[in-house]
Amino acid sequence: MNSITKLSSHWLKLAFTIILLGFGSLQLIAQQYDLLIKGGHLMDPKNNIDEPMDIAIKGDKIALVQKSISSDLAAEVVDVKGLYVSPGLVDIHTHNFYGLDPKGQYSSGYSAIHPDGYTFPFGVTTVVDTGGSGWRNFVQFKEQVIDRVRTRVLVMLNIVGHGMKGSLYEQNLDDMDPKMTALVAKQYPDYIVGVKVAHYSGHQWEQIDRLVKAGELADIPVMVDFGGANPPLSLETLFMEKLRPGDIYTHIFGGGVPSRQALVDDNGKLRPFIKAAQERGVIYDVGHGGSSFSFKHAIPAIEQGIKPNTISTDSHLSSIMSGMKNMNNVMSKFLNIGMNLQEVVAASTWTPAQVIKRTELGHLSPGAIADIAVFNVLEGDFGFTEKTGIGKMMGKYKIENELTVRSGKVVWDLNGLTAPMWNE
């Protein structure tokens, strides 16, 4: 090969390389988005969207939401046609301060659960641990759990400084310190979103007064899990005099025992102040739990116009093995007993985000964190229980989560929507 031929060959190779690099650069420029969720029915209560829409993601943020986005613009495309797409679910009643303290219960003990295995498979991207830690051991909770898991874990501090370590601790009025609780809450505003009291037994209001004082000092809502008293403490006094608008009453469809009132009386009739309290701004939270939900209270209350503001699980070691099971199961119950799908999604996303004052969550606006749930609504004959072995209801609909995105990354894919066929 003469020198001229060699030179021509060199220039041809160089030109070809430049062309290939050019095409590659154009392709990179064309791919404006990292992930495109395409063809699903979008339900975004904050933005009043309830129709087919595509969602494009760049990094950890929502980049674009519109009727149709070209697949050529994304590095990865997930076809979710026939499925629903919502913001990542926000579960504001969980117990995740797990640990190895044999006497710790929900405070670094065996009764709490590692969140990731009970969140992402069900479309939940944010949870609120309610009362596992108090001001004395919040930092331990943060270092031991919050900093080590992928689920976004927020916290309602227990008004009891030692947290939810069991009855011996939870009955200690001397450890209910509003000032110290508020001080720690103000030190960690990125994590602490409320204050909770739970399980206190006694016929007085001191525990509630200290709880609300802590909430006032820290400017955050409080959550009440009523303990027991005989005769029971008055729900009307709690709702109409003690709690502030925006404060939360959990286990809303529990009660009905000698030590705690239910929303309905023994004849299933709604107590006269219940609607007024909700209109006043008291937040009604499900907090299903292992034994804090009853069809005989939920169904007549909903039939008489009382729907929960927020749907939550009260997930812990025993409730996940009982009638509660998971967030999708709890949502499905309400889909079958009087709430429509739009209401169920709102009560599991945007409303709880507002209740805990974290309005950057629970919606799919451009610029928002890309937390997304993709789910199916199955039709058939499904059984739902209150508690293992007690009280079954049959329903036609069941929510099943298919895909979960947390901060722009796929963290759960039930049926391989994002995976290629093995032989391709």
Side-chain angles (χ1 to χ4, degrees):
M1 184 181 294
N2 59 39
S3 59
I4 294 175
T5 304
K6 287 181 179 180
L7 186 61
S8 298
S9 176
H10 171 76
W11 282 110
L12 282 171
K13 288 179 181 179
L14 181 60
F16 184 67
T17 301
I18 291 171
I19 290 169
L20 286 177
L21 289 172
F23 278 128
S25 299
L26 287 172
Q27 188 177 22
L28 288 173
I29 292 170
Q31 292 177 344
Q32 301 175 25
Y33 311 116
D34 299 317
L35 181 65
L36 175 61
I37 297 177
K38 191 168 181 61
H41 186 114
L42 179 59
M43 304 188 77
D44 183 358
K46 177 180 187 276
N47 294 302
N48 296 312
I49 299 174
D50 183 9
E51 61 181 314
M53 299 282 270
D54 293 348
I55 304 176
I57 298 167
K58 182 70 174 179
D60 63 352
K61 300 290 198 303
I62 304 292
L64 182 64
V65 178
Q66 65 181 33
K67 278 282 189 181
S68 181
I69 302 172
S70 173
S71 297
D72 295 335
L73 297 177
E76 182 178 5
V77 180
V78 185
D79 182 0
V80 297
K81 187 176 181 180
L83 300 173
Y84 293 96
V85 181
S86 79
L89 307 182
V90 180
D91 185 351
I92 66 166
H93 190 152
T94 65
H95 295 284
N96 302 115
F97 187 5
Y98 68 92
L100 299 177
D101 182 351
K103 297 181 180 179
Q105 294 197 13
Y106 303 95
S107 182
S108 194
Y110 299 150
S111 295
I113 55 175
H114 187 296
D116 291 349
Y118 301 96
T119 53
F120 297 149
F122 309 108
V124 178
T125 53
T126 301
V127 297
V128 180
D129 180 275
T130 54
S133 63
W135 68 266
R136 296 180 187 275
N137 56 4
F138 166 75
V139 172
Q140 179 192 353
F141 179 29
K142 180 179 180 299
E143 294 175 350
Q144 183 171 305
V145 178
I146 297 172
D147 294 345
R148 297 172 181 270
V149 300
R150 293 185 295 170
T151 304
R152 180 184 296 102
V153 179
L154 304 175
V155 174
M156 289 194 184
L157 284 181
N158 202 312
I159 188 62
V160 175
H162 285 95
M164 200 176 288
K165 283 185 176 290
S167 179
L168 182 64
Y169 291 90
E170 290 173 295
Q171 307 311 308
N172 186 2
L173 279 170
D174 291 337
D175 198 28
M176 297 182 185
D177 189 328
K179 183 177 180 180
M180 291 304 299
T181 300
L183 180 64
V184 172
K186 288 180 177 180
Q187 286 180 327
Y188 296 94
D190 291 342
Y191 300 94
I192 298 172
V193 296
V195 189
K196 185 190 179 189
V197 68
H199 307 155
Y200 185 82
S201 298
H203 204 266
Q204 69 279 321
W205 293 99
E206 181 67 20
Q207 75 281 8
I208 302 297
D209 293 339
R210 295 191 185 200
L211 173 77
V212 173
K213 182 63 176 178
E216 290 173 344
L217 290 172
D219 191 26
I220 50 181
V222 303
M223 175 182 280
V224 173
D225 172 357
F226 241 175
N230 194 7
L233 290 171
S234 166
L235 279 182
E236 184 172 12
T237 299
L238 178 69
F239 292 170
M240 305 305 288
E241 299 178 23
K242 297 294 183 178
L243 296 183
R244 306 162 297 169
D247 288 339
I248 307 155
Y249 182 69
T250 193
H251 305 319
I252 195 67
F253 299 122
V257 294
S259 61
R260 186 188 299 189
Q261 287 183 329
L263 297 194
V264 296
D265 62 22
D266 292 340
N267 297 314
K269 186 176 180 180
L270 201 66
R271 299 185 190 278
F273 57 88
I274 299 300
K275 285 185 179 179
Q278 193 175 42
E279 291 168 357
R280 177 175 173 261
V282 174
I283 303 300
Y284 290 165
D285 176 59
V286 172
H288 188 296
S291 57
S292 297
F293 173 89
S294 172
F295 289 122
K296 72 177 182 179
H297 299 148
I299 292 173
I302 289 174
E303 287 175 345
Q304 294 170 76
I306 294 298
K307 297 176 181 179
N309 298 95
T310 55
I311 293 175
S312 67
T313 61
D314 182 19
S315 58
H316 50 77
L317 191 59
S318 61
S319 69
I320 61 176
M321 302 299 290
S322 186
M324 188 282 289
K325 295 180 176 64
N326 58 65
M327 184 67 163
N328 294 165
N329 192 62
V330 178
M331 294 167 70
S332 299
K333 289 181 180 182
F334 288 95
L335 188 59
N336 284 285
I337 61 174
M339 294 177 70
N340 62 42
L341 187 58
Q342 292 85 351
E343 291 172 326
V344 168
V345 170
S348 307
T349 58
W350 177 231
T351 301
Q354 293 176 89
V355 167
I356 60 172
K357 300 183 180 181
R358 294 299 294 264
T359 53
E360 73 276 17
L361 305 174
H363 59 92
L364 297 173
S365 308
I369 292 289
D371 286 1
I372 299 172
V374 179
F375 62 94
N376 200 357
V377 179
L378 307 176
E379 293 192 30
D381 294 317
F382 306 104
F384 301 95
T385 59
E386 303 172 335
K387 186 178 180 182
T388 300
I390 300 176
K392 182 170 78 172
M393 179 198 78
M394 298 305 295
K396 183 179 179 181
Y397 304 107
K398 189 170 187 177
I399 293 170
E400 182 177 70
N401 189 66
E402 286 280 349
L403 187 80
T404 306
V405 176
R406 164 75 164 96
S407 296
K409 303 295 184 184
V410 175
V411 292
W412 172 260
D413 186 352
L414 179 63
N415 286 300
L417 291 174
T418 60
M421 293 301 294
W422 71 271
N423 58 351
E424 290 181 359

